[in-house]
Amino acid sequence: MLSIHGVDERSPRLARGWGDVLSMQFDDVVPGEGFGCEEPMTRDDARRISAWIGHWAQARQPVKLLIHCNAGVSRSAAVALWASHALRRPAQGVEGDGRDANPHVRSLLSQVAA
């Protein structure tokens, strides 16, 4: 499970039993937009997510990845769509087919994976 929450958001309480959890903290914002106090995803955040997903891509057994954020529309959708493309697997359950996916998150993931 990849769990994303904002800088001013509390970490979610997750049920036990997940094989591996990567917890990330960055706000749902595109740099230059918002109020200026938010913390957008960084290159280091993108590298960590890319490496974590890459690790699971190498697994011998098929795995299902759950990617969530507080609202479940923008940050998690961007990561799920990028992971789907990178892993050549379908993304399921992406809100609104990803039209609201955070472009900054998706772009940074594509940049660090290139």
Side-chain angles (χ1 to χ4, degrees), residues 4 7 9 13 16 22 27 36-37 43 59 74 79-80 86-87 94 110 112-113:
I4 307 168
V7 175
E9 297 170 348
R13 297 179 70 184
R16 295 181 188 159
L22 175 61
D27 291 318
C37 59
R43 280 187 161 306
S74 186
V79 174
L87 300 173
V94 175
S110 294
V112 301

Side-chain angles (χ1 to χ4, degrees), residues 2-66:
L2 171 56
S3 178
I4 307 168
H5 62 281
V7 175
D8 291 333
E9 297 170 348
R10 290 177 36 180
S11 296
R13 297 179 70 184
L14 305 174
R16 295 181 188 159
W18 293 100
D20 186 19
V21 176
L22 175 61
S23 182
M24 299 297 299
Q25 188 174 18
F26 54 87
D27 291 318
D28 188 8
V29 67
V30 173
E33 298 179 7
F35 299 104
C37 59
E38 301 90 355
E39 293 187 31
M41 176 190 227
T42 66
R43 280 187 161 306
D44 285 339
D45 294 330
R47 283 186 195 101
R48 284 186 65 202
I49 291 171
S50 179
W52 186 79
I53 290 174
H55 165 77
W56 288 109
Q58 303 302 319
R60 293 187 186 272
Q61 299 293 327
V63 296
K64 291 183 180 182
L65 301 177
L66 175 64

